[in-house]
Amino acid sequence: MILDLMIWSPVIVGLILLLIGKNATSLSYWLSLTTSLLVFGMSMYALSMFKTDQVGIQFELIAPWIERFNINYHLGIDGISFPLILLTTFITPIVILTARTSNKINLHQYLASFMILEGLMIGVFSSLDAFLFYVFWEAMLIPMFIIIGIWGGENRVYATIKFFLYTFLGSVFMLIAIIYLYISTGSYSIFDFYNLDLSRMEQILIFLAFLFAFAVKIPMWPVHTWLPDAHVEAPTGGSVILAAILLKMGGYGLLRFSLPITPAASNELSMLMVVLSLIAIIYIGMVALSQTDMKKLIAYSSVAHMGFVTLGTFVVFLNHENASIENMNIAISGAMIQMISHGLISGALFLCIGVMYDRIHSREINDYGGVALAMPRFAGLMVFFALANAALPGTSGFVGEVLIILASLKVNFWIALLSGTTLVIGAAYTLWMIKRVIFGSITNEKISNVQDTTAVEFISLIILAFMVLALGVYPEPLMKLMYITLNDLSQLVFAGVGL
Amino acid sequence: MTFNIIGSILPEVTIAVAICIVILVNSLLRNASVTLIHSLVLFFLSFALFLSFVSLELPDSNIFDGHYVIDAFGTNLKIIALIAAILVHLGSFKSKQNIKNEIFLIQLFATLGVMILCSAHNLLTIYLGLETLTLSMYGIVASNRNSIEATESAMKFFILGAIASAIFLYGVSILYGVTGTLSLDLIKDSILLDTLEMRIAVAFMACGIIFKFGAFPFHSWVPDSYQGSNTTAAIYISSVPKIGAFALISRLFLDSMNTMSDFWSILILSAGLLSIIIGNLIALVQMNFRRMLAYSAIGHIGFILLSFSIVNTDGIGASMTYLIMYLIMTIAAFALIESIASEDHQHIELGDLKGLSKSHPLIAFMLLFCMFSMVGIPPFIGFYAKWIVLSELVNNGMIWFALIGIIMSVIAAYYYLRVVWFMYFENNDQAIGNNGILNAQSITSIMVSAMLLLIGLYPNPIIQYIRSIISSFLLID
């Protein structure tokens, strides 16, 4: 019931906002802010009711939807999906809150898109029926397409169509795989897929079909090229949601579908996955180093950080002698924490860039310099997020990466060493950007006249900073939330691989 | 006895009576207003629809010596055709526009042809229905008398259509030569050998059917007649006749010539597959809205034929689901475009849609529904149509065709998205069309588009309904 409310109340409010029309900008702002806060409140309520010591699905809800094909409206959450839902309900109010800082045409449509998007994202994370999952997964493309296309930058049409076609092409292969699994089991329930006995070839093909969809979303090298374009052109709120939540759906899909449905194929193709992850971590890190556009830089840094998620998901299979459930637990909790932490940090960094863009109207690093002199409050926060992005100990960025590197160390020294280079590369590109943008002397005279952060901007950044710090210092509650489910997943996968 | 016969064909009789009355009114009242004729047509269509619902209760029967069959399948198809015809009438009606009254009359004739096709059970009756439909379609396309383009496209359509009819008739005569009968019942009972003559007969008849569907390789009339005629005509020929074609292929090929299914399914399969590829690829470069929709329709028809070629209950069910979803989408898209087209601006180029989201927010929003539905994005009905077809293709080991179909729909996404792009991402100070006054026509178009979402949220009833139709059809036999 509470999941129902969390999915449909933002969607319905979004549709109402579209009907209210452009004459009620202020009303639509407050309505959407209230709704998103209410949804956040609901997720907090769910958190208080969530039993961390219980295996399996909680808040389960099932009703027949399309009987002919045995499709159910089946919702529920566990330790994998719940943290991501919390992330969604936490980030959306911040996006709505900051929506008004820059003048936007048709603000009510902008807010409506985000409200509908929020409902659909929660739907993706909470559906336990593969068909329902696909419906939410694809439906999400529509508001995102509109957000980038209407409120984006100069080159927005190219970026949004590229984004749409990439993701659509990826997901249609997943649709075929889901249909194939339905035909094998006679059900669309994800848990029925887990028990399926698939041959080696079937597993590999299904794994690849799912991988296509998830790799585009994560995005993994070499299908990441839509991301820099989409990020650069998207409005600030769009970038935040894209980086903070949409990318996480790929990682979530790997944990929810790929690992448990095709464990043998995950094992067999783990080398491929690890190599692709390392390329993302090292090569894309290098690419980020050479960017002159701040948003592009953070976009490439997202690809590199998401490389850790895929690394953590698959690294354990590489060395069967040292493979243990404990190590798998460490690796995939690392992947989960990395997802949450990257959601917070990259979201915050895109907000920071948005703050600067609203004042100077440029994303080029060269147009900046000496922001710290003009905007000291803002500069402090931005430096903090940059350090978190570079995985400074004490921030959430550190926890995820260290757990994954630890797990890799037990598998293979060289993989751990290579992935560890991110601490250097990540620090290099983020801090070099900070040096050029925040510090130094003011070269652009526009900067000397700007105001420091407004109350709204300051509050949203402070909240994010607090969360980054809290997760970095004391990640225990998050770990506890996920532990049982992840342990269960590891056992399932190990049994499937035959370890 | 006579009464019983009349009783079972009351819907057809209603339409025939309507035709007579409309002719009388037209000739007696020289200045009869469009509104009057329109209301008359609407009344009779609704009455026929009501009678069809009543005749669902009738037991199955063969009348006129087996020339005509009354069964649930036929009656349900008639219901669908009548609903489509009513929506077309509502969606294309514009009180201010100078529509010739004849077009309503010809549309009634065409609807009658479709209804005859739904029940025809003898090759002669089939041909009767087919020609009633086809001749009326020439008239519909040509009804825009002052336009050179319309006349040209009607002429093209007529020549191609005549050839297709001739080929179909030739196929029928060969079939008659081989089997010695025109009755579908007897053809079904006779043991059809897979001989060369039979193959020629089937191939010729398939040409006629594919022409009626407007699928590759007999698709060239589709874009011309959509573009040349006015929207009132285009919305009709893009929707109702496809139901007749579906009835024809089901009765003739699926039901009576099932023993030849190995052969005709290959023909239908290749026509379907090539339609998907050719239609969607050519649509990519079209900049005229109706022409783009025409090529996109060829692509959609391809999916209908592709799943028809599976030749089992589920495959035919998928095909019919796609057909119904296609009808809703296409009527919605045309009606929306019609509602913004002004009288002197009939030919809507894609560029004219720029800034539509500002000038007509509601229409633009609904057109966005249509476009995403045609791409196949959930939760709109276009997605369910594609998914059911793909599902059945995968289920029957035709996964490669499913992959081709789905990759083509990703490519097709580009030209549908272009419409959204022009409407929402571009600005234009000189917005086209009227001021978006709500009238019967725009309300209909908005309601039909809202169906795209509403059925999409809960598609269960429609899927069950189609399944019951198809299983009753295949059980009888």
Side-chain angles (χ1 to χ4, degrees), chain A residues 284 288 296-306 342 349 389 429:
Chain A
I284 299 295
K296 248 189 182 148
L297 191 146
I298 303 299
Y300 280 112
S301 121
S302 292
V303 180
H305 281 106
M306 290 306 284
H342 175 258
L349 280 171
N389 199 40
Y429 59 70

Side-chain angles (χ1 to χ4, degrees), chain B residues 5 74 92 153 157 211 240 261 321 324 375 404 415 419 433:
Chain B
I5 291 174
S92 61
S153 55
F157 184 24
F211 181 86
V240 185
S261 65
T321 314
I324 291 178
V375 176
I404 293 176
Y415 63 82
V419 175

Side-chain angles (χ1 to χ4, degrees), chain B residues 217-235:
Chain B
F218 305 105
H219 64 285
S220 50
W221 63 272
V222 182
D224 283 336
S225 52
Y226 278 34
Q227 190 188 11
S229 53
N230 55 21
T231 316
T232 318
I235 183 174

Side-chain angles (χ1 to χ4, degrees), chain B residues 247-259:
Chain B
L248 175 60
I249 192 175
S250 310
R251 294 250 186 239
L252 184 59
F253 277 5
L254 181 67
D255 187 17
S256 355
M257 304 181 68
N258 212 337
T259 43

Side-chain angles (χ1 to χ4, degrees), chain B residues 34-311:
Chain B
V34 182
T35 319
L36 174 68
I37 304 287
H38 186 74
S39 325
L40 270 178
V41 171
L42 209 55
F43 168 75
F44 279 109
L45 283 174
S46 318
F47 191 58
L49 178 63
F50 166 72
L51 290 174
S52 313
F53 272 116
V54 173
S55 56
L56 273 179
E57 306 293 322
L58 294 176
D60 294 347
S61 59
N62 278 332
I63 49 177
F64 303 127
D65 289 334
H67 275 90
Y68 212 70
V69 62
I70 304 295
D71 59 8
F73 177 71
T75 314
N76 276 309
L77 280 183
K78 278 177 216 163
I79 290 174
I80 295 166
L82 285 168
I83 293 176
I86 290 172
L87 290 178
V88 166
H89 271 276
L90 285 173
S92 61
F93 176 67
K94 219 178 219 171
S95 51
K96 283 183 187 161
Q97 197 174 327
N98 188 19
I99 292 181
K100 310 274 182 304
N101 287 350
E102 305 93 81
I103 192 162
F104 295 123
L105 184 67
I106 311 176
Q107 286 185 358
L108 278 179
F109 267 115
T111 311
L112 183 63
V114 170
M115 292 170 77
I116 294 175
L117 271 179
C118 291
S119 275
H121 218 241
N122 182 299
L123 286 164
L124 281 180
T125 349
I126 285 180
Y127 194 70
L128 180 75
L130 199 61
E131 282 306 289
T132 312
L133 170 61
T134 316
L135 284 171
S136 324
M137 278 167 77
Y138 306 143
I140 291 171
V141 174
S143 65
N144 196 1
R145 278 182 305 205
N146 300 329
S147 150
I148 298 175
E149 281 172 346
T151 319
E152 181 198 331
S153 55
M155 203 61 205
K156 272 188 198 162
F157 184 24
F158 174 69
I159 292 171
L160 291 171
I163 295 172
S165 291
I167 294 178
F168 181 80
L169 209 53
Y170 195 30
V172 168
S173 64
I174 296 174
L175 182 66
Y176 179 68
V178 175
T179 60
T181 176
L182 288 171
S183 155
L184 293 194
D185 275 331
L186 295 178
I187 291 173
K188 187 179 172 183
D189 293 339
S190 62
I191 296 148
L192 297 176
L193 293 174
D194 197 355
T195 57
L196 183 62
E197 299 87 76
M198 276 305 294
R199 287 192 166 203
I200 293 175
V202 168
F204 280 7
M205 288 190 293
C207 292
I209 294 171
I210 291 169
F211 181 86
K212 277 279 100 40
F213 268 116
F216 183 87
F218 305 105
H219 64 285
S220 50
W221 63 272
V222 182
D224 283 336
S225 52
Y226 278 34
Q227 190 188 11
S229 53
N230 55 21
T231 316
T232 318
I235 183 174
Y236 191 88
I237 54 176
S238 65
S239 52
V240 185
K242 313 286 186 208
I243 303 168
F246 185 81
L248 175 60
I249 192 175
S250 310
R251 294 250 186 239
L252 184 59
F253 277 5
L254 181 67
D255 187 17
S256 355
M257 304 181 68
N258 212 337
T259 43
M260 290 287 289
S261 65
D262 284 348
F263 178 65
W264 62 253
S265 65
I266 292 175
L267 295 178
I268 299 298
L269 174 82
S270 17
L273 205 57
L274 289 169
S275 297
I276 295 175
I277 296 172
I278 305 278
N280 283 323
L281 284 183
I282 300 183
L284 282 176
V285 294
Q286 301 305 322
M287 291 308 277
N288 177 291
F289 190 82
R290 267 193 254 150
R291 216 173 163 78
M292 185 202 93
L293 273 192
Y295 281 107
S296 111
I298 295 170
H300 287 301
I301 295 297
F303 274 97
I304 296 174
L305 294 181
L306 191 59
S307 69
F308 200 91
S309 69
I310 298 173
V311 201

